[in-house]
Amino acid sequence: MNGFEMTTDVTNIPISGSQKAAILFTELGSKVGSQIIEFLSDAELKRLRKAVGNLGSYSPRKPNFFKVQQREIRVMEEACKFGVKNRFLPAEVLERKDYGFLKSGSAYNKQNTIIKELVDNPDTITNVLRTWLGED
């Protein structure tokens, strides 16, 4: 096993590795994303771009907004659990249950160095994405 827990959406349908990678990549924002893409192979980057495109639009006005939001929370939770287990994220992120902290514009990150650490060590998150992209 790769150290990740199986993530499912609110209908209990498993979320594919590509979907998880796309969600995490988009949640991290362009600052971290621009560092990560340099470490991905052309084939991995192609799969990631396709998966991001397949996520569809994100709007509170859409009828499936709650489902999309819950799916993202579950993926962020899985990534955070993995990060804490492998000691590249502090345990407090799981206690807070605020997985939006990874977003580069979040209030938590303005007072924190997690995004800086991810930018300085993009291979850490790249390995998470690479693992998920390889699950499909």
Side-chain angles (χ1 to χ4, degrees):
M1 191 69 184
N2 57 24
F4 292 101
E5 297 178 10
M6 174 58 78
T7 301
T8 59
D9 69 14
V10 292
T11 60
N12 290 323
I13 298 170
I15 301 171
S16 75
S18 294
Q19 289 172 319
K20 291 187 286 186
I23 290 168
L24 179 59
F25 182 78
T26 57
E27 288 292 318
L28 291 172
S30 61
K31 188 173 185 179
V32 176
S34 65
Q35 299 292 322
I36 290 170
I37 61 173
E38 295 178 21
F39 288 87
L40 294 172
S41 70
D42 289 342
E44 290 167 334
L45 193 54
K46 183 177 179 179
R47 284 197 309 267
L48 181 60
R49 285 185 176 140
K50 181 178 179 184
V52 168
N54 288 338
L55 287 178
S57 62
Y58 187 83
S59 170
R61 294 184 208 143
K62 288 198 159 203
N64 68 341
F65 176 73
F66 174 75
K67 179 181 174 183
V68 170
Q69 188 178 42
Q70 291 302 308
R71 178 180 68 175
E72 290 179 358
I73 289 169
R74 282 178 172 50
V75 169
M76 297 304 286
E77 181 180 24
E78 180 178 345
C80 289
K81 285 180 179 178
F82 181 79
V84 169
K85 181 179 176 182
N86 290 281
R87 299 188 175 145
F88 65 84
L89 291 177
E92 70 186 73
V93 300
L94 296 178
E95 296 163 9
R96 293 171 52 103
K97 294 189 183 245
D98 175 17
Y99 306 112
F101 81 93
L102 281 172
K103 291 184 179 183
S104 56
S106 74
Y108 182 77
N109 259 321
K110 289 178 181 170
Q111 303 166 11
N112 188 294
T113 60
I114 292 175
I115 288 296
K116 181 181 180 327
E117 289 174 24
L118 295 177
V119 168
D120 291 346
N121 300 292
D123 55 321
T124 301
I125 292 297
T126 303
N127 288 334
V128 173
L129 294 175
R130 184 172 284 130
T131 299
W132 282 344
L133 288 169
E135 286 181 356
D136 294 345

